[in-house]
């Protein structure tokens, strides 16, 4: 069994029809739902989590060399509905990163491809979990 330090969890609470709030142990809250009123959907949150995890890795590995002038990441995917059920496929991450001219910017630019590859291949827990196909289980609490 995983130690408490390694275990990760969030709790979700329904706040209205098609609306949820996710809470973490540190007191953070994130409202989302079916997409009305500008809220994120669960699929968009998955894409944001993949992109966010990768962006944080890449930023940590490059910005120590030079502060980026622009750092944006676009995450896209195709939603498929077929005999296997609803899912995403062809998830893509496109970096739009520029660094200042000069030696430090050159070093950061040179590190960028390796940083993105390291995040994809080893570091990003979210994308690694999706790519490796981790099983998801469910249960009903006794008070359900």
């Amino acid at each position: 069994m995983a130690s408490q330090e390694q275990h990760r969890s969030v709790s979700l609470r329904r706040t209205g029809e098609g609306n949820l709030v996710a809470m973490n142990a540190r007191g953070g809250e994130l409202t989302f739902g079916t997409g009305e009123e500008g809220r994120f959907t669960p699929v968009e949150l998955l894409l944001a989590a993949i992109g966010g995890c990768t962006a944080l890795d890449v930023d940590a590995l490059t910005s120590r060399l030079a502060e980026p002038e622009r750092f944006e990441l676009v995450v896209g995917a195709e939603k498929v509905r077929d005999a296997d059920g609803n899912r995403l496929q062809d998830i893509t991450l496109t970096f739009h990163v520029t660094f200042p001219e000069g030696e430090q910017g050159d070093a950061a630019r040179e590190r960028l491809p390796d940083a993105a590859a390291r995040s994809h291949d080893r570091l990003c827990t979210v994308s690694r979990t999706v790519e490796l196909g981790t099983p998801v289980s469910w249960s009903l609490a006794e008070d359900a």
Side-chain angles (χ1 to χ4, degrees):
M1 179 168 223
S3 73
Q4 196 63 3
E5 291 178 5
Q6 293 298 313
H7 183 76
R8 303 292 190 265
S9 70
V10 296
S11 61
L12 302 171
R13 181 176 49 23
R14 181 183 187 270
T15 59
E17 185 178 341
N19 294 305
L20 299 168
V21 62
M23 296 152 289
N24 65 25
R26 295 173 306 283
E29 293 188 355
L30 177 66
T31 302
F32 66 103
T34 56
E36 283 78 27
E37 299 177 21
R39 288 192 175 96
F40 278 79
T41 67
V43 170
E44 291 166 337
L45 290 176
L46 176 63
L47 296 176
I50 291 169
C53 182
T54 299
L56 290 171
D57 289 342
V58 171
D59 186 45
L61 293 168
T62 58
S63 66
R64 65 179 71 154
L65 298 171
E67 183 66 23
E69 294 175 339
R70 177 182 182 202
F71 193 109
E72 296 176 19
L73 178 59
V74 177
V75 184
E78 300 303 318
K79 185 172 182 182
V80 175
R81 293 179 177 137
D82 62 16
D84 290 327
N86 295 345
R87 67 184 189 288
L88 297 177
Q89 66 181 25
D90 301 327
I91 299 171
T92 60
L93 287 76
T94 305
F95 289 88
H96 300 274
V97 182
T98 57
F99 294 100
E101 293 300 319
E103 190 175 312
Q104 291 176 318
D106 292 345
R109 268 186 294 285
E110 186 175 317
R111 180 171 288 173
L112 184 60
D114 179 64
R118 286 179 59 194
S119 179
H120 175 266
D121 297 342
R122 301 286 307 153
L123 299 176
C124 177
T125 302
V126 180
S127 64
R128 299 303 308 145
T129 300
V130 170
E131 281 202 294
L132 295 174
T134 301
V136 176
S137 61
W138 65 272
S139 65
L140 296 176
E142 289 185 25
D143 62 352

